[in-house]
Amino acid sequence: MDWKEEAFILLEQLVRVPSVNPEDHGETSELFGEKAVGDKLLAYIKKYLPDFFCWQEEVLPNRFNCYASYKAGEDCPTILLETHLDTVSIQGMSIDPFTLKSEGGRWYGRGACDAKGQIAAMVLGIRKAMMECGGQLPINILFAAVVDEEHKHRGVDFLVKNSVHADLAIVGEPTELQFAAFHKGSIRFEVNALGTSVHSATPWEGVNAIEIMADVIQVLKTAAKETVEYKTHPLCGKSSISVTLIAGGEQVNIIPDTCSIHIDRRLNPQEDWEEAFNEIKNIVKQHVTDSVWAKIRWNDPYLIDPPLTNNLTDKALVSLAEIMKQDKPEDVSYVGLPFGCDASKIQPVGIPTVVFGPGSIQQAHTADEWIDENSLLQAIEIYAKIFQHLKL
């Protein structure tokens, strides 16, 4: 079997079908949503993995999680493979987003790295293991390709609410073939400043909301940043706070009565989101005047994405590490990731969960998104080995 050719064929089929996350805008064109690519994926699995039972579940209107399961036996360990069908926007891309292009050992296209390349690695890893085992795997597998990871993670939320059970979960994300047992989380929220609008010829008669927000931003980039970045994790690094969106004003000769910012606060595994949120408010309150504080409105987070943590002595993680040590005994240790993903929503339901996959996060979401072909082929080999040798 030429696994490079098979990988390119499968990934080309997935990249060809647009699956841009529509967020909450409700777009219905062929560009947005995951249904078409999910149908394509399940058709492939039904053709090449006939022992797998496939089905779909609607999470959001016309947006379906896709599942495939294999039953080896009641006494066999169960592994959950989870990744996502949606991609980020194609706006500003410098390549044709939906035509997989091979050049210099790299495969280019939207989703090639995040996360259609992860889907290809998992599915072909299963195919390879099935061939090497004579069609009978020693483990149960539940494969889940979910919706909405790139926005509000409602696909994985739906998955875990339906009583999923497994002894180990591997979430497919680009980790440069390292196994991550920790990753950061985040909260995102909006802050509003309220002013009084007047003609700019007499600004002293009004209250400039942008100037109020400027005082807030100054505190966020100094005192709040210093406090937040003091919090560190040995594998994930520093916590962070960033102002990532700003809006204010209607016309150049009108003093603005509103200004808003959006804040992205990255949380390390030891942090609680409510404590982090309240800490930011308290720091701002301590460093601005009472008159400025009275004109600030804090909105509850519209995204709460928890960090991932694990017990490294769990037997599933120990077994996984032992498999990896067979090839690279000096190079196997669990790492932490600076970004978040679906893993932190799976682990809390009692499933030891790691993040793994080919490619680098540096190539995800980019104008020329790509994945290294050798990395993808290595991931197929690693998955095949896990499916054959995981013992719990």
Side-chain angles (χ1 to χ4, degrees):
M1 177 71 72
D2 186 341
W3 293 107
K4 178 179 175 180
E5 181 181 0
E6 288 296 318
F8 189 89
I9 290 172
L10 174 54
L11 186 54
E12 189 276 332
Q13 291 180 17
L14 298 175
V15 168
R16 186 196 313 160
V17 183
S19 57
V20 175
N21 192 310
E23 299 186 352
D24 291 321
H25 306 307
E27 287 93 340
T28 57
S29 75
E30 293 181 356
L31 182 67
F32 297 94
E34 303 90 345
K35 186 178 188 307
V37 75
D39 290 343
K40 176 71 70 173
L41 172 61
L42 290 187
Y44 182 95
I45 293 174
K46 290 175 183 177
K47 179 178 180 180
Y48 291 105
L49 294 169
D51 292 331
F52 277 69
F53 174 71
C54 299
W55 74 101
Q56 295 175 300
E57 293 178 345
E58 189 172 36
V59 179
L60 297 161
N62 210 36
R63 298 175 68 185
F64 297 82
N65 282 355
C66 295
Y67 305 97
S69 69
Y70 173 82
K71 297 295 185 183
E74 292 296 329
D75 297 329
C76 297
T78 298
I79 186 168
L80 167 65
L81 304 175
E82 195 268 8
T83 189
H84 59 96
L85 295 162
D86 57 321
T87 72
V88 294
S89 170
I90 62 170
Q91 185 175 0
M93 291 195 73
S94 60
I95 59 172
D96 182 345
F98 306 125
T99 300
L100 190 66
K101 177 182 178 183
S102 177
E103 184 176 305
R106 298 173 177 180
W107 294 348
Y108 292 84
R110 177 57 88 217
C113 183
D114 185 19
K116 293 176 181 180
Q118 312 307 321
I119 293 173
M122 289 176 168
V123 172
L124 293 179
I126 295 171
R127 282 190 66 188
K128 189 173 192 299
M130 291 286 284
M131 291 178 64
E132 293 174 350
C133 285
Q136 181 68 45
L137 293 178
I139 62 170
N140 303 313
I141 294 178
L142 172 60
F143 169 76
V146 306
V147 304
D148 199 44
E149 190 272 348
E150 298 289 3
H151 185 45
K152 290 185 177 178
H153 55 75
R154 289 170 288 191
V156 69
D157 289 345
F158 184 92
L159 169 67
V160 298
K161 286 179 181 177
N162 283 272
S163 302
V164 62
H165 299 288
D167 299 292
L168 172 69
I170 300 178
V171 172
E173 291 285 344
T175 68
E176 302 180 46
L177 300 178
Q178 295 180 296
F179 283 88
F182 307 88
H183 71 58
K184 289 183 181 179
S186 63
I187 53 172
R188 294 171 188 164
F189 57 94
E190 183 179 356
V191 181
N192 307 116
L194 307 179
T196 303
S197 180
V198 297
H199 197 287
S200 62
T202 55
W204 48 83
E205 294 181 357
V207 178
N208 191 319
I210 291 178
E211 292 180 356
I212 293 170
M213 192 61 79
D215 288 348
V216 175
I217 293 174
Q218 184 62 27
V219 176
L220 293 174
K221 67 179 287 189
T222 54
K225 181 178 180 181
E226 180 179 354
T227 300
V228 168
E229 292 188 355
Y230 184 76
K231 307 173 195 297
T232 63
H233 184 272
L235 298 180
C236 296
K238 296 188 293 186
S239 300
S240 65
I241 182 171
S242 303
V243 178
T244 53
L245 292 171
I246 186 167
E250 298 178 7
Q251 193 169 307
V252 69
N253 60 348
I254 300 175
I255 298 300
D257 61 355
T258 62
C259 183
S260 67
I261 60 172
H262 291 249
I263 296 174
D264 183 310
R265 168 71 162 87
R266 297 289 165 148
L267 306 165
N268 262 314
Q270 73 274 22
E271 293 189 89
D272 174 78
W273 77 264
E274 290 182 292
E275 292 179 1
F277 183 56
N278 290 327
E279 179 181 64
I280 295 168
K281 292 193 289 184
N282 290 334
I283 291 172
V284 171
K285 184 176 183 179
Q286 293 168 12
H287 287 82
V288 298
T289 64
D290 291 342
S291 61
V292 166
W293 177 255
K295 295 178 175 61
I296 302 171
R297 301 293 180 267
W298 298 83
N299 297 282
D300 290 337
Y302 54 81
L303 176 73
I304 301 171
D305 193 7
L308 172 70
T309 189
N310 273 286
N311 177 3
L312 296 183
T313 64
D314 184 276
K315 61 181 180 180
L317 299 191
V318 171
S319 177
L320 183 59
E322 289 175 349
I323 294 172
M324 295 302 98
K325 287 177 182 178
Q326 295 173 13
D327 290 334
K328 297 191 296 183
E330 76 292 344
D331 201 17
V332 176
S333 58
Y334 288 106
V335 301
L337 301 173
F339 59 90
C341 67
D342 282 349
S344 62
K345 277 65 78 178
I346 297 172
Q347 190 275 338
V349 301
I351 303 174
T353 304
V354 298
V355 189
F356 168 79
S360 168
I361 195 65
Q362 301 302 321
Q363 277 80 59
H365 300 192
T366 58
D368 63 341
E369 181 176 347
W370 55 271
I371 192 168
D372 178 83
E373 65 180 40
N374 287 329
S375 179
L376 179 50
L377 296 176
Q378 289 179 59
I380 293 170
E381 294 276 352
I382 292 169
Y383 275 123
K385 181 173 291 188
I386 292 170
F387 302 150
Q388 294 176 75
H389 300 294
L390 184 69
K391 299 184 186 303
L392 299 175

